[in-house]
Amino acid sequence: MRRLAPYQTGLWLAEYVDIRCQLCRVYRSTAPSQLLTSHLPTAAPPIAVPMFTDIYRGKVARYIHRHLSRGLLCAHCHHGITWLPKPFRVDIAAGSALGIQASTFYDYPIRQAIRAFKHDEDMRKLPLLLHAIRQLPRPHGCHHDNAVIVAMPTTPQRLVKRGFDPVSILAAQLSKHWQIPLWQGVRRIDHTVSQQGLTRAERLSNLNNAFVLTETPPVKRLLLFDDVATTGASLQALGHALYKPATSAASASSLPTNRYHLSAYALAHGSQYR
């Protein structure tokens, strides 16, 4: 049996053991006291043990469905967050744009959870981010055999400095949710600085030629993923790097210029209060 990483164990516990909301920490639906009184009879009929067993198993199954099929947040917290803001587009080549769909806005509580996870390695925030990941709808027509997820790559220097790659962990959860494999055929060149605090023009200039392909994409549908798309500059640069070989190959072989179908996704984008 494959050994789980510590964060995977934490996700498993949050999913199947902890019935509390991962944000407010209140029970996801019915309180345990009510569960005990409504689900378990005080005594089993002495002559109907098999019947009691069947009834008990059925109520346990309903309990599991009720508490574990609605996500990792209670209904109050879930509906308190605005999900799936309107997609936006960024240009990646002449006449070609990349559509970006975020799960939610970069506001409370997702903003604080992402920052704690990325900068403080607070794995306790991961279940909330997993809940946000699951709000992203599977791209229409994409499945295991015709699409791959391309996570925003990091550099070895940044990986050593941070100690882990938060985007790859989140992308792995998205891959599991959509049942679409990850593809790591893009390398990031370490001549750029952090995007935080830069203007949009500075972000675009900073990311010029920041990504190079190390292998040819195995499929035509490429689903780009990043944790935060503030202006979309990082996804724009990554999309441009994936688009360039398609156009050059097309010009050489007279194939259609739209060889790859690119779309992008992120956990959060912008703020709805600005």
Side-chain angles (χ1 to χ4, degrees), residues 98-120:
L98 176 68
I100 303 176
Q101 173 67 70
S103 175
T104 185
F105 291 100
Y106 193 47
D107 294 320
Y108 175 85
I110 301 299
R111 180 189 185 106
Q112 286 73 8
I114 291 176
R115 286 183 171 182
F117 176 61
K118 289 181 62 173
H119 303 300
D120 300 327

Side-chain angles (χ1 to χ4, degrees), residues 6-51:
Y7 81 88
Q8 293 174 315
T9 303
L11 285 177
W12 187 90
L13 292 174
E15 185 92 57
Y16 300 108
V17 178
D18 188 0
I19 64 173
R20 294 176 297 176
C21 171
Q22 296 299 313
L23 182 57
C24 69
R25 304 307 295 167
V26 175
Y27 292 100
R28 298 181 200 173
S29 55
T30 310
S33 58
Q34 297 175 353
L35 288 172
L36 290 175
T37 57
S38 62
H39 284 204
L40 298 180
T42 55
I47 60 174
V49 174
M51 180 182 297

Side-chain angles (χ1 to χ4, degrees), residues 233-274:
S234 296
L235 289 169
Q236 182 179 25
L238 179 58
H240 181 62
L242 291 166
Y243 186 88
K244 284 193 300 184
T247 55
S248 61
S251 60
S253 57
S254 300
L255 293 175
T257 56
N258 190 19
R259 181 180 177 185
Y260 298 117
H261 178 75
L262 304 179
S263 55
Y265 302 84
L267 273 187
H269 162 67
S271 174
Q272 61 181 324
Y273 303 115
R274 293 179 181 176

Side-chain angles (χ1 to χ4, degrees), residues 12-146:
W12 187 90
L13 292 174
E15 185 92 57
Y16 300 108
V17 178
D18 188 0
I19 64 173
R20 294 176 297 176
C21 171
Q22 296 299 313
L23 182 57
C24 69
R25 304 307 295 167
V26 175
Y27 292 100
R28 298 181 200 173
S29 55
T30 310
S33 58
Q34 297 175 353
L35 288 172
L36 290 175
T37 57
S38 62
H39 284 204
L40 298 180
T42 55
I47 60 174
V49 174
M51 180 182 297
F52 168 74
T53 302
D54 293 339
I55 293 174
Y56 178 79
R57 287 176 177 172
K59 289 185 175 180
V60 169
R62 289 194 296 272
Y63 163 82
I64 292 175
H65 175 77
R66 179 180 300 175
H67 288 275
L68 301 184
S69 63
R70 296 183 180 180
L72 292 160
L73 300 186
C74 67
H76 176 75
C77 289
H78 174 83
H79 294 300
I81 300 174
T82 301
W83 301 107
L84 298 180
K86 184 178 179 180
F88 66 102
R89 301 170 70 84
V90 292
D91 294 329
I92 56 174
S96 297
L98 176 68
I100 303 176
Q101 173 67 70
S103 175
T104 185
F105 291 100
Y106 193 47
D107 294 320
Y108 175 85
I110 301 299
R111 180 189 185 106
Q112 286 73 8
I114 291 176
R115 286 183 171 182
F117 176 61
K118 289 181 62 173
H119 303 300
D120 300 327
E121 202 172 345
D122 187 352
M123 295 297 170
R124 295 172 299 178
K125 305 300 183 183
L126 192 52
L128 172 57
L129 301 181
L130 175 58
H131 185 87
I133 286 174
R134 291 176 177 175
Q135 308 313 309
L136 289 171
R138 175 197 288 268
H140 180 71
C142 293
H143 52 76
H144 183 275
D145 297 323
N146 72 347

